[in-house]
Amino acid sequence: LVLSRRRSTAVRWSAAVAGPLLLLTPLIWWGLRQRPAQLHWVPPMTLGAVYTFPRYLAGSTEVAWLLIGLLLVAGSRMTRPVAEMIAAAGLPLAVVGAVSFAGTSFWVNRYLLFVLLPAMIVAAAGLANRVVAVVTLAVFAAAAVPGQLAVRQPTFKNGSDYRTLAAVIRREQQPGDDIVLERGRTMRAGLDYYLRHDPGRPRDVLVRQSAAEAATLTALEYAHPTALLASAARIWLVVYGRRGDPTTARPDLRPYLRDGFRRVNVWKVKNGSMALYVRRS
């Protein structure tokens, strides 16, 4: 009788899981086909990435090591609730880590922030003494302050300093300027945001279809950019990274800019470079 009930439960559970999975199959198939486009920016998985991951997940190295220490203390007095919370925190890390080693990497801290909740519950379970708990909380807070202040800085994100680039453009632009951007998913969107209220902004003449219109992360450009820039007197070139020669990020336009224009200035910001080119007389 017990065996029959277990089989019945297993059958019902399997049916309940199979139904949604069947409905989600087209979405899963579509997502698998989009992995290279969506996650090309994530570095390949390495053992070094595993070692440094707690720092990025917890916000700072100090907080990460404090949390790991408390987890070890709580794990030394293993109970079923503690084991369940450890599994809730550890299994997603293990699965995502294994998948990332096997193929496309998903090893990104913000994708796994949810594991901090069960981890903190386990850490709190190891603090049986109220005085120890208060002291530990104070140490945690003190260790977390520098990281919390840093993450709220205007340019903390791993993207470029679009705000400063846009301010330079507003200050130096002239009517009729054109702008060329390195192909990617964030530079155009970042500058569009900070220049959205500027009616005199440089013209982005290379765009054939915006990212929203193309239903992708990046805008689509025309195939022959030099033809569209034939009448340009001044061209702003904005690329990722701090580059001595920004044209290296647009090799398709490098000969055109080198032969027909002179570079009058270069600005370098966090994770970005911008140059202004003026047509030779």
Side-chain angles (χ1 to χ4, degrees), residues 228-275:
L228 295 168
L229 297 169
S231 62
R234 290 164 35 109
I235 297 176
W236 296 86
L237 176 62
V238 191
V239 301
Y240 296 102
R242 298 174 65 86
R243 298 174 183 260
D245 182 6
T247 61
T248 57
R250 287 298 303 246
D252 56 329
L253 289 171
R254 191 175 189 184
Y256 179 74
L257 292 173
R258 180 189 60 216
D259 298 337
F261 293 78
R262 60 184 178 88
R263 193 179 72 187
V264 298
N265 212 338
V266 176
W267 296 267
K268 296 181 181 180
V269 299
K270 176 180 177 290
N271 292 338
S273 301
M274 181 170 66

Side-chain angles (χ1 to χ4, degrees), residues 260 262 279-281:
R262 60 184 178 88
R279 186 175 292 278
R280 299 182 189 276
S281 57

